[in-house]
Amino acid sequence: TTTFSNRNLKGLHLFPELFLTGYPLQDLVLQKSFIDDYQAFLEDLSAWSIQQLKSQEPLALIMGGLSYQFDTFGLPSQIENVLFLLEPGQKIRPIYSKQLLPNYDLYEEKKYFTPGPGPSLFRFEGCNIGLLICEDMWFSHLHDSDPVEQLKDHFETINANCDLVINLSASPYHLGKFDQRVQRALEISKYLKAPFAYVNRVAGEDEILFDGRSFVVDGQGIIAMGQAFKSDFLSLPLPLYKGTPSRTPLSSMANSWSTLFSTRLSSDTTSLLPLTDFECEEILEALILA
């Protein structure tokens, strides 16, 4: 979790992708017992917000979850991977739906989810905040649209500055992935001329490992980072953008979806690159959590 706050519960609190359900869920999202329990849980959250948070202003909680629509028989007709907003005295409500649904490697999101319609921003304490979920930050030839580009166009259309971009993720671990996340976040930060907050899940779920390491960049570098392979809590004032705006088209930048899966081979492509002591330590921490 990442919070931009300095007293009590007040401030903007961020929690990872599908924080309310776990991830990945696969066919569990279609089981009636799961759906009934989850819908009841959302009602409990709304009741908690109305009863317990009404005096905690300014306050906003943004967290990942599922949004269901049902047909006349009560069966799920549409499921979206969304960001929910909890505000004092109000029911929980979705404010953004994930646009890019991965359908490779361990992911099968297109099988279960409906993609979101387009960009969305959230206003908090006079700040304009752009919203993304995990895959939405990665340019890829596998997708027909680019949510980051759409977000930029949206801010320009409404003639507003972007004060912060947040990405709530459930990003599985592999060696070297953290550096690629940071570099991509810096690219987007410079492109949108705004700080970038990346909030990642930390857990072992079935055969998948999530390494945490949430972070915030200000356009120049990392200004806050959570622990690896451990639950953590970051708290900081709303950061200001300090980078040099990028003039490079987003689609031609170095860090794309394909870089996430590049192999660790030497130039002769016959042997793996040697591991450093730091990499060995990271792998050990990952195995301990697993």
Side-chain angles (χ1 to χ4, degrees), residues 4 14 32 40 101 108 115 146 169 189 199 209-210 219 233 244 252:
F4 303 102
L14 308 176
K32 186 177 187 302
L101 303 179
E108 292 183 299
D146 186 340
S169 289
S189 177
V199 182
L209 196 67
F210 301 95
F233 181 86
T244 302
S252 64

Side-chain angles (χ1 to χ4, degrees), residues 104-129:
Y104 53 83
D105 195 36
L106 55 89
Y107 308 102
E108 292 183 299
E109 291 195 23
K110 287 185 179 181
K111 177 179 177 181
Y112 303 102
F113 302 147
T114 299
S120 179
L121 64 86
F122 170 65
R123 286 189 59 82
F124 181 75
E125 290 295 282
C127 295
N128 298 313
I129 300 171

Side-chain angles (χ1 to χ4, degrees), residues 216-250:
V216 181
V217 298
D218 63 358
Q220 290 183 337
I222 297 174
I223 59 173
M225 185 177 73
Q227 295 184 78
F229 309 107
K230 296 179 181 178
S231 297
D232 205 0
F233 181 86
L234 301 178
S235 182
L236 65 157
L238 182 70
L240 298 176
Y241 177 71
K242 296 181 180 179
T244 302
S246 173
R247 299 181 182 273
T248 305
L250 198 66

Side-chain angles (χ1 to χ4, degrees), residues 1-44:
T1 174
T2 298
T3 176
F4 303 102
S5 173
N6 57 13
R7 62 189 188 279
N8 301 325
L9 265 180
K10 297 178 181 179
L12 174 62
H13 299 254
L14 308 176
F15 303 83
E17 176 185 14
L18 292 182
F19 173 75
L20 299 178
T21 62
Y23 180 82
L25 294 165
Q26 298 175 318
D27 284 357
L28 188 62
V29 301
L30 304 175
Q31 293 185 12
K32 186 177 187 302
S33 59
F34 171 84
I35 295 173
D36 290 345
D37 288 346
Y38 175 66
Q39 295 300 119
F41 178 50
L42 293 183
E43 290 297 322
D44 289 344

